[in-house]
Amino acid sequence: MKQSNITSPGLLELYRAMCRIRAFEDAAEEASRGGVAAFGQTAGSQANVRGPLHLSTGQEAVAAGVCAHLKPADYLTSTHRGHGHTLAKGADLERMMHELFGKASGFCGGRGGSMHIADFSVGMLGANGVVAAGVPIAVGAAQSIKIRKADAIAVTFFGDGAINRGPFAESLNWAAAFQLPILFVCEDNQWSATTKTGTMSAGGGAAARARAHGIEAEEVDGNDVVAVSETARQLIADIRAGKGPRLLHARTYRFKGHVSVDPAIYRDPAELEAALKSDPLLIAAEQLRAQGIEQTQIDAVMQQARDEVAAAVRSALAAPWPAKDAAWSEIQDTGAGQWQ
Amino acid sequence: MKQSNITSPGLLELYRAMCRIRAFEDAAEEASRGGVAAFGQTAGSQANVRGPLHLSTGQEAVAAGVCAHLKPADYLTSTHRGHGHTLAKGADLERMMHELFGKASGFCGGRGGSMHIADFSVGMLGANGVVAAGVPIAVGAAQSIKIRKADAIAVTFFGDGAINRGPFAESLNWAAAFQLPILFVCEDNQWSATTKTGTMSAGGGAAARARAHGIEAEEVDGNDVVAVSETARQLIADIRAGKGPRLLHARTYRFKGHVSVDPAIYRDPAELEAALKSDPLLIAAEQLRAQGIEQTQIDAVMQQARDEVAAAVRSALAAPWPAKDAAWSEIQDTGAGQWQ
Amino acid sequence: MAVMNYAAAAAASLKAAMQADASVVALGEDLGRGGIFGQYRGLLEDFGPERIIDTPISEATIVGAAVGMALTGLKPVVEMRVIDFALCAMDEIVNQAAKNRFMFGGQGRVPAVIRMPIGIWSASAAQHSQSLESWFAHVPGLVVLAPSTPQDNYSLLQAALQCGDPVAYFEHKELWATEGEVDATQRVDIGRARILREGRDLTIVSWSKAAIWSAEAAAQLANHGIEAEVIDLRTLWPWDRETVFTSARKTGCVLIVHEAVQVAGFGAEIAATLAEEGMAKVARLGGPRVPVGYAPLLEAEVRVTPDRIVAKAKALLGR
Amino acid sequence: MAVMNYAAAAAASLKAAMQADASVVALGEDLGRGGIFGQYRGLLEDFGPERIIDTPISEATIVGAAVGMALTGLKPVVEMRVIDFALCAMDEIVNQAAKNRFMFGGQGRVPAVIRMPIGIWSASAAQHSQSLESWFAHVPGLVVLAPSTPQDNYSLLQAALQCGDPVAYFEHKELWATEGEVDATQRVDIGRARILREGRDLTIVSWSKAAIWSAEAAAQLANHGIEAEVIDLRTLWPWDRETVFTSARKTGCVLIVHEAVQVAGFGAEIAATLAEEGMAKVARLGGPRVPVGYAPLLEAEVRVTPDRIVAKAKALLGR
Ligand SMILES: Cc1ncc(C[n+]2csc(CCOP(=O)(O)OP(=O)(O)O)c2C)c(N)n1
Ligand SMILES: Cc1ncc(C[n+]2csc(CCOP(=O)(O)OP(=O)(O)O)c2C)c(N)n1
Ligand SMILES: [Mg+2]
Ligand SMILES: [Mg+2]
């Protein structure tokens, strides 16, 4: 295990951030049972969370380790699998759950749901239903920072499958050509929907592609939150120091199916079994114990997270639905929502 | 100058191929005077060649050196600057000129013009008005070759500016992932329209990007037809041997403006002046003389090319226009060309 | 004859086409596991990975490569997953596939079928709920199909592969599970509408899922003494003017119904054509010009439901 | 008041906007040399490369980055060069720019003006001659503008930058050189058509270059004793129903003219709306559903010329 410069309270905070994500995802999964549509099934109308629900269970260390170094003024764009990133960036957990439940009090007023989770007030500019689409948006945010001479950076998370879409490559070139303050984070969970990404991605992966565009890149064990945090800290320091864009390639694993109702029958159960042994929460707990933290304290952190999430679920259940008017508003100022 | 394994008749053939391109481009340029539209000007109706005319004058060695190793069964896609590639692939020069003149006897029956020059009968699947658009098409042709177990390869030419478009990157990955028989040729003339490409392209260029995708790449002096031919020969041999895709990055220079009417006032005249000293025709002529070929013989090759082109211009002038019906045909079989 | 659902009908149709013609291949993401809607189920096992091609997430190149395949002797079936992702490949569809034959003077053909599932489905929100078929009807070179039943999905996919033109092929996501009889020998010609129900008071012209709902609306209208003729257009380009005109002349009143946004939707084309012919009173019912929201109520608010169709039909008839 | 051409008017308008508002920036290929049509001439000198941003040839990222800029306090003017290349950025325009505000419940705004020059121009053939404005009218979230004069290009660009919504902005390539008086203080409100010529016999509704040619046709029609009222719509979304309806009620006869392909063009929307209102006889004249060819005669064959407008108008009036 990589030696850490992060002191024990730091690690405990990272662990807390991961626990909140894990608890959130578990609760979202539970609330989506029988309801989320995919793989030929149509949403049951009874579930509280509907629509494609992409869980980041097992990938918590990447979100927590990177976002630990971000300020609210920093911008973040994310993917369809964006709950963890959004939580780690500081969004209110309760309002996030409300959004998943489609309630008026959710961040998007129930208009967006899981795939469009966002909290612009903390710089989290949105999850995205289109693979790689968040990447150029973050590039633009970084350019805006540079133009406005703001004291901030931009970060974009994207999956291992996303690196094969053109906009990712365009964005690498663009960020390097303009020397923008942006961190590209490839959250490599080894799968793209039902496809093992390795079979479809040629060459040395995200880091090699970044380097080909003159962007320094680091690869890290994405299940080790300390390693992620340390590496991110250095890369982000470089970016803040005006050294231009950086890329972080973090290897982790998707514990769940592509969406919550996907049983992932296409993958070897042994692969999951092996991956579960590198559960980032287990690894972090071990690191905490190695630092002398008591197991009871570690357990308490997780319990606290579960309690917080349970309360959010209760309040989401009780919260009112959006008014019908919400279907017609927040579209555009000129020529707004009309039937014709 | 790189040592050549190509014997002197080979070099003379390469020289002849280049002369035919030079003569063709010079005649096209002449025929477009006052007529080609761009940079805010509208086409004069009197010119024989109209529309955006992108000349490859000065870049002849790349087309000639690469295509010398292709058979009619091999496929080729090209760019907006595609006359040279098309000629080198074996298309009939006269029918090409007819197409530029918009005549019924042109390869596209006057429907395409310079930007859509093509001769499918020799595997030349088309120039393209959209930067980088020919690249995935060639990738598909290569995949088709593999699926049909045909004895052929695909080649795609693209500019230095094109490497910043997403489809180029997607295509590199795709070709490598499927190990397709394709040669990517970056014809680097240092300019993208009015922009010095270097200011907009980060990192190590086309070759570095290819390598990041696991594709072997070579860089070559694109003004030295012997060097181009030698390098292409080796790369193409690898591809034919089933070793997968390869990339060739050839550095050359655009002698003319972006389109024929563009005076290119945005570039330093000294840059052009220096480049003219590396005119690929001058270099090849010198190589020929070094091999003991007489100057008169060298001159005769060029004269022959000019005569051939002059005859093509005369016949293009005399050739009939397409019938109006041509505007309504070759669109689709089902629901074909209707007003409504 | 067999009963199967709309997704299975497409798979069976593609299987038959691939058996009959070695040049037919399919490419897209996740096809090897049957496609995310099961519409390619079983094909990898039968035809192997060279003909059922799993691709990287590279929409532009999926379509671009299909153009290259089509120009060199293959007939690619291209899976875009949902129409919303086809937006990542519009240059390839419009500038490269649709215009190729004309641009190059007929030297080549692009016999590619581009499948772009449309429609509101299961709380998928604004980026996975669009229906953009009118865009493709606007593009010269393309044939535009939108089957609404398992039989039509079977037969129109056959027709699409046989027609030799690039085809924009729209399946509706809410129809995958619809069951129906499928007769593999039944031909459906491109450009031929189907009369779902005969009637004398009013013509409803529709397609895709909205046609099913129009038939439901017609059943309700019958309870109000209104006999609506329901036409499932099936093909948007070329569209079956003859059937529509004949019905319009008979009923004198035409309502066009589609799920896509009404403004500049394909309903406008039909209504405009009818108006130019001065043949009937016309009305349209399409979706409102708003993005589709996630919450159930927001999604429901923008749907073109049987109830809304009934109300619009009555208004048109002044009843 | 100054006389300037359509391209210079746009440059002057952008310059004024950039002077007044430090958040306005422009990005696109070759802007530093004034843009390929001269519509950015002089701006680099005034505002430097951080606000007049030369970009790589990366259309998807040009628009994607503009969305990121817009969400974080800038007002980007995005140059697509010609609409045909905007096809390389449709996901970014439709899924990212247009839907952002709604999808995220109004947390953000995308005040970006996306300039996509349209039209047949100078033997540019099938991939550089399209007019796809109806696509954008179909997309919720977008405002759609299409000025036809230097004054409107000046004033509508101002309005576009002020409206705060993502704007699809269509300049016509054959209008760049058109000269006209430009009054920098003149406001043109989005959604307000302009009556180019008054008349009582027939209304011609048009926009962009086709509006100019409609006015020419009206002059010819006057020689035949037909007084056509010509409306330049200027804004396709929201479009000025009031002006169109008022004229339609007066003349009882409406011809809609545009250069874009007629099938599923925006003329269909107007015709359909008029038909639904039962307000007038309607006819459309758009381009044929064919790609644009290169040879002069092929290009001419598909143009919507004054002569064709005259003929169609007479046919509509039965004269
Ligand atoms: C442009 C586009 N193509 C396809 C999809 C469908 N899709 C959604 S997620 C996904 C897999 C993405 O894989 P990766 O980038 O590795 O992210 P992960 O799901 O593993 O987090 C696919 C193909 C999409 N949303 N957008
Ligand atoms: C997608 C797209 N964007 C922009 C253009 C306009 N354009 C035509 S050629 C060109 C420059 C291309 O540079 P490069 O690839 O180096 O080719 P070169 O012209 O130098 O041969 C540009 C920007 C286009 N045709 N297509
Ligand atoms: Mg993944
Ligand atoms: Mg170049």
Side-chain angles (χ1 to χ4, degrees):
Chain A
M1 203 157 295
K2 197 175 162 181
Q3 274 305 54
S4 161
N5 301 322
I6 295 188
T7 54
S8 98
L11 177 53
L12 203 61
E13 276 322 297
L14 291 172
Y15 184 68
R16 185 186 313 282
M18 291 199 291
C19 288
R20 291 177 82 233
I21 298 171
R22 176 67 55 92
F24 188 90
E25 297 297 50
D26 286 350
E29 184 178 11
E30 180 61 33
S32 79
R33 276 199 208 294
V36 182
F39 295 84
Q41 304 163 38
T42 293
S45 53
Q46 293 321 310
N48 289 309
V49 174
R50 293 160 214 80
L53 181 76
H54 305 87
L55 299 166
S56 63
T57 322
Q59 307 179 194
E60 295 87 350
V62 186
V66 170
C67 294
H69 306 283
L70 301 182
K71 304 174 295 184
D74 296 327
Y75 297 116
L76 179 70
T77 66
S78 170
T79 69
H80 52 287
R81 203 178 296 288
H83 305 161
H85 312 140
T86 311
L87 276 168
K89 187 68 169 70
D92 183 68
L93 185 150
E94 191 176 358
R95 285 194 67 195
M96 283 179 61
M97 192 61 82
H98 286 216
E99 186 57 36
L100 265 62
F101 277 57
K103 298 304 178 74
S105 39
F107 275 112
C108 312
R111 293 181 185 84
S114 162
M115 268 196 303
H116 305 304
I117 200 74
D119 179 3
F120 283 39
S121 74
V122 297
M124 200 291 165
L125 300 180
N128 210 304
V130 179
V131 166
V135 180
I137 295 175
V139 163
Q143 197 153 13
S144 165
I145 288 168
K146 195 171 175 189
I147 293 169
R148 293 181 293 111
K149 302 190 190 354
D151 178 18
I153 69 167
V155 177
T156 180
F157 287 98
F158 50 91
D160 42 312
I163 69 172
N164 296 327
R165 276 208 65 224
F168 168 65
E170 290 187 1
S171 288
L172 287 180
N173 179 64
W174 186 296
F178 292 106
Q179 284 295 296
L180 301 180
I182 181 169
L183 178 65
F184 296 92
V185 184
C186 180
E187 188 169 42
D188 177 358
N189 60 13
Q190 304 178 43
W191 285 88
S192 315
T194 73
T195 303
K196 188 88 181 160
T197 309
T199 63
M200 292 293 146
S201 268
R209 296 184 193 184
R211 289 181 196 121
H213 291 85
I215 297 177
E216 284 182 31
E218 294 288 341
E219 310 188 42
V220 75
D221 175 356
N223 295 326
D224 177 351
V225 71
V226 173
V228 174
S229 171
E230 265 311 274
T231 313
R233 189 219 296 265
Q234 286 157 27
L235 294 173
I236 288 171
D238 284 352
I239 298 166
R240 292 201 199 280
K243 296 187 187 167
R246 293 288 186 269
L247 182 138
L248 177 64
H249 180 176
R251 288 210 175 71
T252 176
Y253 195 77
R254 190 188 81 194
F255 285 179
K256 305 291 175 174
H258 174 54
V259 287
S260 63
V261 295
D262 168 19
I265 48 166
Y266 43 80
R267 76 179 170 192
D268 185 351
E271 187 180 293
L272 174 61
E273 213 172 298
L276 287 171
K277 296 198 179 109
S278 303
D279 183 334
L281 269 71
L282 293 182
I283 294 176
E286 196 183 310
Q287 290 165 324
L288 284 167
R289 283 190 300 271
Q291 293 186 358
I293 310 285
E294 295 289 323
Q295 185 63 40
T296 51
Q297 199 183 340
I298 297 171
D299 291 344
V301 171
M302 179 50 106
Q303 192 52 50
Q304 219 176 4
R306 298 229 183 260
D307 291 347
E308 183 189 4
V309 168
V313 167
R314 281 192 302 275
S315 91
L317 268 172
W321 293 107
K324 277 190 182 181
D325 290 357
W328 302 88
S329 62
E330 295 297 359
I331 295 160
Q332 58 195 110
D333 286 332
T334 310
Q338 302 176 11
W339 201 285
Q340 59 171 27
Chain B
M1 202 156 297
K2 198 177 161 180
Q3 273 305 54
S4 163
N5 300 320
I6 294 188
T7 54
S8 101
L11 177 53
L12 204 60
E13 276 323 297
L14 291 172
Y15 184 69
R16 187 186 312 280
M18 291 198 291
C19 288
R20 291 177 83 232
I21 298 170
R22 175 68 54 92
F24 188 91
E25 298 296 51
D26 285 351
E29 184 178 13
E30 183 61 33
S32 79
R33 276 196 209 295
V36 183
F39 296 83
Q41 303 162 40
T42 293
S45 53
Q46 293 320 312
N48 289 309
V49 174
R50 294 161 213 81
L53 180 76
H54 305 87
L55 301 165
S56 63
T57 322
Q59 309 179 192
E60 296 86 351
V62 186
V66 170
C67 294
H69 306 284
L70 301 183
K71 303 174 294 184
D74 296 326
Y75 297 115
L76 179 70
T77 67
S78 171
T79 69
H80 51 287
R81 202 177 298 287
H83 306 161
H85 312 141
T86 310
L87 276 169
K89 187 68 172 66
D92 183 68
L93 184 150
E94 191 176 358
R95 286 193 66 193
M96 284 178 61
M97 192 61 82
H98 286 218
E99 186 57 37
L100 265 61
F101 277 57
K103 297 304 178 75
S105 40
F107 276 112
C108 313
R111 293 181 186 84
S114 161
M115 268 196 304
H116 305 302
I117 199 76
D119 179 3
F120 282 39
S121 75
V122 297
M124 200 291 166
L125 300 181
N128 210 304
V130 179
V131 166
V135 180
I137 295 174
V139 163
Q143 197 154 13
S144 165
I145 288 168
K146 195 173 176 188
I147 292 169
R148 292 181 294 111
K149 304 192 188 353
D151 178 20
I153 68 167
V155 177
T156 180
F157 287 98
F158 50 90
D160 43 310
I163 68 171
N164 296 326
R165 274 208 66 225
F168 168 67
E170 290 186 1
S171 289
L172 287 180
N173 178 64
W174 186 296
F178 292 106
Q179 284 295 295
L180 301 180
I182 181 169
L183 178 65
F184 296 91
V185 184
C186 181
E187 188 170 42
D188 178 358
N189 61 13
Q190 303 179 43
W191 285 87
S192 317
T194 74
T195 303
K196 188 87 179 158
T197 309
T199 62
M200 291 293 147
S201 268
R209 295 184 193 184
R211 289 181 196 120
H213 290 85
I215 297 176
E216 284 181 33
E218 294 289 340
E219 310 188 41
V220 75
D221 175 357
N223 295 327
D224 177 351
V225 73
V226 174
V228 173
S229 170
E230 264 311 274
T231 314
R233 188 218 295 262
Q234 286 157 24
L235 294 174
I236 288 171
D238 285 351
I239 297 166
R240 291 202 200 278
K243 296 186 186 167
R246 293 289 186 271
L247 183 138
L248 177 65
H249 180 176
R251 289 210 175 71
T252 177
Y253 195 77
R254 190 188 81 195
F255 284 179
K256 305 291 175 173
H258 173 55
V259 288
S260 64
V261 295
D262 167 18
I265 48 168
Y266 44 81
R267 75 178 170 192
D268 184 351
E271 187 180 292
L272 174 61
E273 213 170 298
L276 287 171
K277 296 197 179 113
S278 303
D279 183 333
L281 268 71
L282 294 182
I283 293 176
E286 197 182 308
Q287 289 166 326
L288 284 167
R289 283 191 299 271
Q291 293 186 358
I293 310 288
E294 294 290 323
Q295 184 64 41
T296 51
Q297 199 182 341
I298 297 170
D299 291 344
V301 171
M302 180 51 106
Q303 192 52 49
Q304 220 175 3
R306 298 226 183 263
D307 291 347
E308 184 189 3
V309 167
V313 167
R314 281 192 304 274
S315 91
L317 268 172
W321 293 107
K324 276 190 183 180
D325 290 355
W328 302 88
S329 63
E330 295 297 359
I331 295 161
Q332 57 195 112
D333 286 331
T334 310
Q338 302 176 10
W339 200 284
Q340 59 169 28
Chain C
M1 261 317 215
V3 172
M4 55 179 90
N5 71 27
Y6 184 82
S13 182
L14 186 51
K15 179 172 176 169
M18 292 181 74
Q19 276 165 343
D21 182 349
S23 69
V24 178
V25 301
L27 67 160
E29 299 151 17
D30 300 305
L31 296 201
R33 268 70 52 217
I36 45 157
F37 300 113
Q39 73 275 47
Y40 295 86
R41 201 161 281 153
L43 298 177
L44 178 74
E45 292 71 9
D46 286 346
F47 302 105
E50 281 216 330
R51 292 182 67 197
I52 296 295
I53 307 167
D54 260 324
T55 71
I57 308 175
S58 305
E59 280 74 12
T61 298
I62 292 173
V63 181
V67 173
M69 292 177 183
L71 291 174
T72 59
L74 298 180
K75 286 188 187 161
V77 172
V78 183
E79 180 56 52
M80 287 278 102
R81 208 168 182 121
V82 291
I83 176 80
D84 315 71
F85 307 154
L87 299 191
C88 304
M90 289 310 293
D91 173 59
E92 291 72 19
I93 297 173
V94 173
N95 285 328
Q96 310 305 330
K99 299 191 198 310
N100 191 290
R101 177 170 167 188
F102 179 85
M103 237 156 38
F104 297 117
Q107 296 186 69
R109 293 273 187 294
V110 182
V113 179
I114 307 172
R115 296 171 74 172
M116 301 178 266
I118 54 172
I120 295 177
W121 171 69
S122 275
S124 294
Q127 289 177 334
H128 289 57
S129 301
Q130 292 168 95
S131 296
L132 296 171
E133 61 271 17
S134 72
W135 282 20
F136 300 83
H138 193 49
V139 176
L142 296 180
V143 168
V144 184
L145 305 180
S148 72
T149 65
Q151 179 69 61
D152 285 350
N153 207 10
Y154 187 99
S155 301
L156 281 174
L157 194 52
Q158 294 288 322
L161 280 162
Q162 281 153 17
C163 80
D165 294 320
V167 177
Y169 197 88
F170 297 105
E171 285 150 294
H172 195 292
K173 283 169 269 167
E174 267 186 339
L175 294 177
W176 295 120
T178 311
E179 305 262 334
E181 295 262 325
V182 173
D183 173 357
T185 66
Q186 193 181 307
R187 244 182 98 103
V188 174
D189 289 333
I190 293 175
R192 276 293 180 78
R194 185 162 47 102
I195 298 180
L196 283 186
R197 180 191 180 105
E198 303 211 352
R200 59 170 186 272
D201 298 329
L202 162 77
T203 303
I204 303 181
V205 178
S206 191
W207 56 88
S208 192
K209 169 109 205 265
I212 311 281
W213 277 7
S214 293
E216 271 182 55
Q220 287 185 37
L221 286 167
N223 296 334
H224 297 81
I226 297 171
E227 288 303 328
E229 180 143 305
V230 180
I231 297 175
D232 179 355
L233 215 49
R234 305 196 285 200
T235 304
L236 300 194
W237 191 265
W239 62 284
D240 188 347
R241 293 151 179 268
E242 206 183 295
T243 298
V244 172
F245 286 6
T246 304
S247 181
R249 279 195 210 97
K250 178 169 77 173
T251 64
C253 230
V254 180
L255 173 63
I256 304 128
V257 178
H258 56 69
E259 180 180 319
V261 165
Q262 179 170 315
V263 174
F266 195 69
E269 178 62 28
I270 299 169
T273 305
L274 287 166
E276 290 176 304
E277 302 288 330
M279 194 174 275
K281 276 177 68 178
V282 298
R284 290 177 294 160
L285 180 62
R289 194 176 183 277
V290 306
V292 178
Y294 164 73
L297 193 134
L298 300 179
E299 191 184 89
E301 178 71 3
V302 303
R303 278 179 183 270
V304 173
T305 57
D307 284 353
R308 285 204 164 115
I309 301 170
V310 167
K312 190 83 188 182
K314 286 174 146 183
L316 177 63
L317 292 171
R319 302 214 214 164
Chain D
M1 266 309 219
V3 172
M4 55 180 92
N5 71 27
Y6 184 82
S13 182
L14 186 51
K15 179 171 175 167
M18 293 181 73
Q19 278 165 342
D21 181 350
S23 70
V24 178
V25 301
L27 68 160
E29 298 151 17
D30 300 305
L31 296 201
R33 269 70 54 216
I36 45 157
F37 299 114
Q39 73 275 45
Y40 295 86
R41 201 161 280 152
L43 298 178
L44 179 74
E45 294 71 8
D46 287 346
F47 303 105
E50 282 216 329
R51 291 183 67 196
I52 297 294
I53 307 167
D54 260 324
T55 71
I57 307 175
S58 306
E59 280 74 13
T61 298
I62 293 173
V63 180
V67 173
M69 291 177 182
L71 291 175
T72 58
L74 298 179
K75 286 188 187 161
V77 172
V78 183
E79 180 56 51
M80 288 277 101
R81 207 167 182 123
V82 291
I83 176 81
D84 314 71
F85 307 154
L87 299 192
C88 303
M90 289 310 294
D91 173 60
E92 291 72 18
I93 297 173
V94 173
N95 284 328
Q96 310 305 329
K99 300 192 197 308
N100 191 290
R101 178 171 166 187
F102 179 85
M103 235 156 40
F104 297 116
Q107 295 186 70
R109 293 272 189 292
V110 183
V113 179
I114 308 172
R115 295 170 74 171
M116 301 178 266
I118 55 173
I120 295 175
W121 171 69
S122 275
S124 295
Q127 290 177 334
H128 290 57
S129 301
Q130 292 169 94
S131 297
L132 296 171
E133 61 272 17
S134 72
W135 283 19
F136 299 84
H138 193 49
V139 176
L142 296 179
V143 167
V144 183
L145 306 180
S148 72
T149 65
Q151 178 70 60
D152 285 350
N153 207 10
Y154 188 99
S155 300
L156 281 174
L157 194 53
Q158 294 289 321
L161 280 162
Q162 281 154 17
C163 79
D165 294 320
V167 177
Y169 197 89
F170 297 104
E171 285 149 295
H172 195 292
K173 283 168 269 167
E174 267 186 340
L175 294 176
W176 294 121
T178 312
E179 304 262 334
E181 295 262 324
V182 173
D183 173 358
T185 65
Q186 193 182 307
R187 243 183 99 105
V188 175
D189 289 332
I190 293 175
R192 277 292 182 77
R194 185 162 48 101
I195 297 180
L196 283 186
R197 180 191 179 106
E198 304 211 352
R200 59 169 187 274
D201 297 329
L202 163 77
T203 303
I204 302 181
V205 179
S206 191
W207 56 88
S208 192
K209 169 109 204 265
I212 311 279
W213 276 9
S214 293
E216 271 182 56
Q220 287 185 37
L221 286 166
N223 296 334
H224 297 83
I226 297 171
E227 288 302 328
E229 181 143 303
V230 180
I231 297 175
D232 179 356
L233 215 48
R234 303 196 286 201
T235 303
L236 300 194
W237 192 266
W239 64 282
D240 188 348
R241 294 153 179 267
E242 206 183 296
T243 299
V244 173
F245 286 6
T246 303
S247 180
R249 277 194 211 97
K250 178 170 76 173
T251 65
C253 230
V254 180
L255 172 63
I256 303 127
V257 178
H258 56 70
E259 180 180 319
V261 166
Q262 179 171 312
V263 174
F266 195 68
E269 178 62 29
I270 299 168
T273 305
L274 287 167
E276 291 175 305
E277 303 287 330
M279 194 174 271
K281 277 178 66 177
V282 298
R284 291 177 294 159
L285 180 62
R289 193 175 183 277
V290 306
V292 178
Y294 164 74
L297 194 134
L298 300 180
E299 190 184 90
E301 178 72 4
V302 303
R303 279 179 183 272
V304 172
T305 56
D307 283 353
R308 284 205 163 114
I309 301 170
V310 167
K312 189 84 188 181
K314 286 174 146 185
L316 177 62
L317 292 171
R319 302 215 215 167

